[in-house]
Amino acid sequence: GAGVSQSPSNKVTEKGKDVELRCDPISGHTALYWYRQSLGQGLEFLIYFQGNSAPDKSGLPSDRFSAERTGGSVSTLTIQRTQQEDSAVYLCASSETQREWETQYFGPGTRLLVL
Amino acid sequence: GDSVTQMEGPVTLSEEACLTINCTYTATGYPSLFWYVQYPGEGLQLLLKATKADDKGSNKGFEATYRKETTSFHLEKGSVQVSDSAVYFCALSPYNNNDMRFGAGTRLTVKP
């Protein structure tokens, strides 16, 4: 079956514009995660969805960042009024459940460049 | 808060050399520990994991042992191959928490 997919693979935008990043998890996976990989910073947890429960937003860096997950499947990460420091690779991952930290399967990421 | 620290790269080795990438953690309670690998042009994938003290995770010739006394989870391989060239991330998941904390990553290049 298909793995986690993300789109677009690359996005260049101007400072101040809004961007939307999409993640399609593996079919049947109930848990979905967003991470950010900034140069020299390592990976940073952003937000987590488990089924239809309210998401864990504890990692979102500012109120310009938001995410939703429609129908328990596809997720969209939205960054409003982008800043240059938002430039990073945004990674999505899914797992079958959140029980006992099952293996997370990562997508290829969206590389965002804010000019 | 909980965090991991891994050795800085880049690391360059010749084929068949021994590899150790150090990882130490700071956590309250008993976290689960992971190594993820990112091959060139690909997404992250789980390499191995350990969920309690003294557990040894192993996969593809790589091993790491969860050492509570030294708060470490060093990644080792006895004989690396060119195909092992990648970025390796140490990570932890705090006990009973959805979060996952990653190290900065260590880039490994193996030369023939």
Side-chain angles (χ1 to χ4, degrees):
Chain A
V4 177
S5 62
Q6 294 184 242
S7 61
S9 54
N10 291 280
K11 176 72 176 178
V12 180
T13 190
E14 293 178 350
K15 178 182 171 181
K17 296 282 180 69
D18 298 351
V19 294
E20 283 189 354
L21 312 180
R22 177 188 167 105
C23 172
D24 282 90
I26 292 173
S27 178
H29 280 193
T30 61
L32 186 148
Y33 308 79
W34 282 99
Y35 298 89
R36 178 168 68 176
Q37 186 176 5
S38 303
L39 189 64
Q41 300 296 315
L43 280 167
E44 176 186 6
F45 166 78
L46 297 178
I47 189 169
Y48 160 79
F49 295 89
Q50 172 60 41
N52 295 321
S53 303
D56 174 1
K57 303 180 182 180
S58 59
L60 293 178
S62 79
D63 58 8
R64 296 185 295 105
F65 288 72
S66 62
E68 62 178 21
R69 189 177 184 194
T70 53
S73 180
V74 172
S75 177
T76 302
L77 177 69
T78 301
I79 309 173
Q80 296 178 308
R81 305 181 302 282
T82 52
Q83 304 294 313
Q84 289 181 332
E85 60 263 29
D86 299 334
S87 298
V89 176
Y90 289 82
L91 290 161
C92 174
S94 72
S95 65
E96 193 169 341
T97 71
Q98 197 268 317
R99 185 179 64 245
E100 292 295 328
W101 277 99
E102 297 208 20
T103 298
Q104 293 186 28
Y105 297 86
F106 283 80
T110 294
R111 187 175 302 276
L112 174 66
L113 177 62
V114 181
L115 300 177
Chain B
D2 295 1
S3 65
V4 292
T5 302
Q6 62 182 104
M7 65 184 280
E8 293 185 13
V11 174
T12 302
L13 296 173
S14 297
E15 206 165 22
E16 299 184 3
C18 242
L19 169 71
T20 300
I21 302 178
N22 290 337
C23 172
T24 56
Y25 68 90
T26 302
T28 54
Y30 303 94
S32 295
L33 301 173
F34 306 80
W35 278 99
Y36 279 85
V37 59
Q38 187 172 22
Y39 297 105
E42 299 183 17
L44 279 174
Q45 54 185 279
L46 179 68
L47 181 60
L48 52 84
K49 68 179 181 183
T51 58
K52 61 183 187 296
D54 299 325
D55 268 3
K56 176 186 282 188
S58 60
N59 186 23
K60 299 182 180 181
F62 290 88
E63 292 184 340
T65 301
Y66 189 144
R67 302 273 189 213
K68 190 169 185 300
E69 62 276 15
T70 54
T71 62
S72 65
F73 193 56
H74 304 323
L75 182 68
E76 299 177 325
K77 187 172 185 182
S79 176
V80 294
Q81 306 300 312
V82 173
S83 57
D84 294 327
S85 298
V87 181
Y88 293 83
F89 293 89
C90 185
L92 73 77
S93 168
Y95 177 72
N96 212 25
N97 188 311
N98 302 335
D99 201 345
M100 183 170 270
R101 313 289 169 83
F102 288 84
T106 302
R107 182 178 298 279
L108 170 67
T109 301
V110 181
K111 297 189 172 180

